[in-house]
Amino acid sequence: MSASKTLRKLEVVSPVPADIDIANSVEPFHISEIAKELNLSPKHYDLYGKYKAKVLLPVLDELEGSGDGYYVVVGGITPTPLGEGKSTTTVGLCQAMGAFLDKKVATCLRQPSQGPTFGIKGGAAGGGYSQVIPMDEFNLHLTGDIHAITAANNLLAAAIDTRIFHESTQSDKALLNRLCPPNKEGKRSFSDIMFRRLKRLGISKTKPEELTPQEVKKFARLDIDPASITWRRVMDVNDRFLRKITVGQGPEEKGMVRETGFDISVASEIMAVLALTTSLADMRERLGKMVIGNSKAGDPVTADDLGVGGALTVLMKDAINPTLMQTLEGTPVLVHAGPFANIAHGNSSIVADKIALKLVGPGGFVVTEAGFGSDIGTEKFMNIKCRYSGLTPQCAVIVATIRALKMHGGGPEVVAGKPLDRAYTTENVSLVEAGCVNLARHISNTKAYGVNVVVAVNMFATDSEAELNAVRNAALTAGAYDAVVCTHHAHGGKGAVELGIAVQKACGNVTQPLKFLYSLDISIKEKIEAIARSYGASGVEYSEQAEKQIEMYSRQGFSGLPICMAKTQYSFSHQASEKGAPTGFVLPIRDVRASIGAGFIYPLVGTMSTMPGLPTRPCFYDIDLDTATGKVIGLS
């Protein structure tokens, strides 16, 4: 690859300024320049302003016969509540590959939710001198994908309550007549989407008047059991007061009050569908298959049963196209999807990864990020995402910090917003060594998939050489292909050159095929237990509710789906306080739910919040607009 015209030499400053100040100090290249470096012509993308573009799906069809680049996934050790810099490492590694190692490279990242951006966590564009820019656009509306998901999700929610309302006041015949109104000639017909329900019911008739009274009842009356409804409304704001609400209190709703609640938009199954879909046609099928609850007879009710699958697809037709952006050093980034890493699989989209692998081509590199520690993000990347995509990674990066390892070695509690204890800012090699049991288990778990593992140690100013050497030695002893100290936060791509070299070598030395943790043809419980063993559990305990749900999903024909565990990211176990590498615990499964459209069953381990709350002092205190320049200030 010849030297890229879009690469930018960074002028780094010490100490490292605020993320937004670094982002605002760089004038991004026009996005058409980034597209040109990837050999994308103007017909391959739609511009969204000067610095963002939607890459269109037909690119995949055009490049179908061309080869893929190397595929790298970035996970992490079990993090502290402060995060260990996984996104920053993903970006820094790509900047090193593109700007210093002369490789064609693309970064694939999730789109951040505005909830954490204005809440306690801040944005997710990376940090320091390893960021995606424009940072404010990345962290806010971007190209509207999350808004499209919100609109589609809430349309389905409205359809559910409306259908229950109308069914409660009408006869079977009246329902059929309203669902299939006469045309100008006075003839009734089924709309196209209705044939999907008829087929599911085993009814082959093509005209409404041909239905028997029993068939009219089966077709027209969904008979949704309100107690079984799992579909909730969403919004992209942290709003704790919407976790539990009642709807239907208006006088026109005739006393049809029921309890429900709001989730944050990124927790919607539609977001998970977007991340796991492989084409527009596949997305249409997945959206239609989403199960919102059961009928009173115990049969699943889908979005297509409600007649809304096509409308949902229309709302999502632009969201399926990934957004092209750039790093501080001018390397390309595809931003797409952002599912919760607890109740969903926490990875960016298959579509973005597939497009990127074709665009970089053989010898190029695509680096994609998996949410949270590798026990959650990388496990789901391998067992769910790679199953549906058919893609095989050659290398997995595990991000570690001295801070997190000290915590796992028995260090004091780390609390977001509070100063770090002195144990984390002074040398303590024995504490680091004790904590490396956590890193070792992440390495062995990840190696079991047949990929080479490279450990990236994010260096902080307070880390000593002896501590860093202890991590490197522990990683190599545990079977890592290599372990590298990185300073990309302070130095940009230059601080991740050694990591880039290690990843290149690891990708070129893969000797095994991809191996999954479990096969799909075993039972739901056997899959859950295989994942639990990887955490270190000695067994699994199912609540009465979980047993009931497993039996129901098996009866409904969903037992062949992969498993997406919903558990804390702060421990291998179900208890966030259990640090290191706990063993011998019994993993409690509180409940089991299903995202049938997305394509997974998700067991709930403990209590999972799907609507975060705002702290006493949210990030929004610092966010404002410089009205003289129009620039956003205070984003973190």
Side-chain angles (χ1 to χ4, degrees), residues 100-363:
F100 292 89
L101 297 173
D102 202 29
K103 296 294 177 187
K104 202 158 187 182
V105 67
T107 315
C108 290
L109 289 178
R110 290 179 292 167
Q111 180 184 346
S113 163
Q114 285 178 185
T117 297
F118 291 112
I120 196 167
K121 182 176 171 288
Y129 287 99
S130 295
Q131 290 188 60
V132 180
I133 55 172
M135 182 247 220
D136 56 336
E137 294 182 29
F138 178 86
N139 282 316
L140 298 173
H141 305 285
L142 200 62
T143 46
D145 293 357
I146 294 180
H147 300 320
I149 287 160
T150 304
N153 184 100
N154 293 343
L155 176 63
L156 180 50
I160 295 164
D161 286 311
T162 295
R163 185 58 174 262
I164 296 170
F165 170 75
H166 287 302
E167 285 190 19
S168 71
T169 59
Q170 297 178 50
S171 67
D172 298 342
K173 189 177 179 184
L175 276 171
L176 179 69
N177 289 342
R178 284 184 170 87
L179 288 168
C180 305
N183 60 19
K184 288 176 183 173
E185 288 78 46
K187 292 185 177 176
R188 298 183 186 276
S189 61
F190 295 118
S191 61
D192 287 347
I193 200 169
M194 291 176 178
F195 286 107
R196 292 172 179 253
R197 174 159 175 78
L198 288 164
K199 185 179 178 183
R200 214 157 78 79
L201 294 171
I203 300 172
S204 56
K205 294 170 183 175
T206 57
K207 294 176 182 175
E209 60 268 23
E210 294 172 347
L211 299 185
T212 66
Q214 189 56 36
E215 288 170 338
V216 168
K217 185 182 183 69
K218 277 174 70 178
F219 167 73
R221 195 167 291 283
L222 301 183
D223 204 25
I224 298 167
D225 177 4
S228 75
I229 296 171
T230 53
W231 198 265
R232 289 152 59 96
R233 288 158 175 82
V234 299
M235 64 190 303
D236 198 31
V237 174
N238 288 3
D239 192 344
R240 67 177 72 241
F241 281 88
L242 291 179
R243 288 171 181 166
K244 187 178 277 192
I245 62 166
T246 55
V247 293
Q249 295 194 64
E252 296 84 1
E253 280 62 66
K254 299 169 186 164
M256 294 194 62
V257 176
R258 74 177 181 90
E259 203 173 79
T260 179
F262 274 77
D263 296 330
I264 197 161
S265 295
V266 288
S268 170
E269 184 179 347
I270 296 178
M271 176 63 92
V273 166
L274 178 65
L276 287 170
T277 195
T278 53
S279 67
L280 200 55
D282 178 65
M283 183 172 75
R284 170 64 187 88
E285 293 306 310
R286 287 174 181 269
L287 290 172
K289 285 194 298 189
M290 293 187 304
V291 172
I292 60 87
N294 298 324
S295 70
K296 286 170 185 166
D299 298 319
V301 178
T302 69
D304 272 347
D305 288 330
L306 285 154
V308 75
L312 301 182
T313 310
V314 168
L315 286 170
M316 293 293 293
K317 70 179 176 63
D318 296 322
I320 197 174
N321 301 310
T323 301
L324 180 65
M325 296 187 77
Q326 63 193 283
T327 66
L328 282 168
E329 296 188 59
T331 58
V333 181
L334 284 175
V335 186
H336 205 211
F340 245 40
N342 277 344
I343 67 156
H345 63 295
N347 282 257
S348 64
S349 77
I350 286 173
V351 162
D353 290 3
K354 282 192 161 186
I355 290 173
L357 285 163
K358 294 295 183 193
L359 292 176
V360 301

Side-chain angles (χ1 to χ4, degrees), residues 513-528:
L514 179 63
K515 291 182 284 194
F516 297 121
L517 187 58
Y518 53 82
S519 66
L520 292 182
D521 56 8
I522 61 176
S523 70
I524 291 173
K525 281 190 173 181
E526 286 172 312
K527 291 174 200 167
I528 291 171

Side-chain angles (χ1 to χ4, degrees), residues 1 37-40 59 63 66-72 94 97-98 103-108 331-334 352-367 394:
M1 175 188 163
E37 291 291 330
L38 286 171
N39 298 319
L40 287 168
V59 170
L63 297 173
S66 59
D68 288 351
Y70 291 112
Y71 194 28
V72 180
C94 290
M97 291 274 204
K103 296 294 177 187
K104 202 158 187 182
V105 67
T107 315
C108 290
T331 58
V333 181
L334 284 175
D353 290 3
K354 282 192 161 186
I355 290 173
L357 285 163
K358 294 295 183 193
L359 292 176
V360 301
F365 290 82
V366 170
V367 183
Q394 287 78 40

Side-chain angles (χ1 to χ4, degrees), residues 92-93 95-97 99-101 329 484-488 491-504:
L93 170 58
Q95 290 182 166
M97 291 274 204
F100 292 89
L101 297 173
E329 296 188 59
V484 181
V485 176
C486 309
T487 60
H488 43 273
H491 303 120
K494 187 178 180 182
V497 168
E498 280 187 54
L499 177 61
I501 292 168
V503 166
Q504 280 184 60

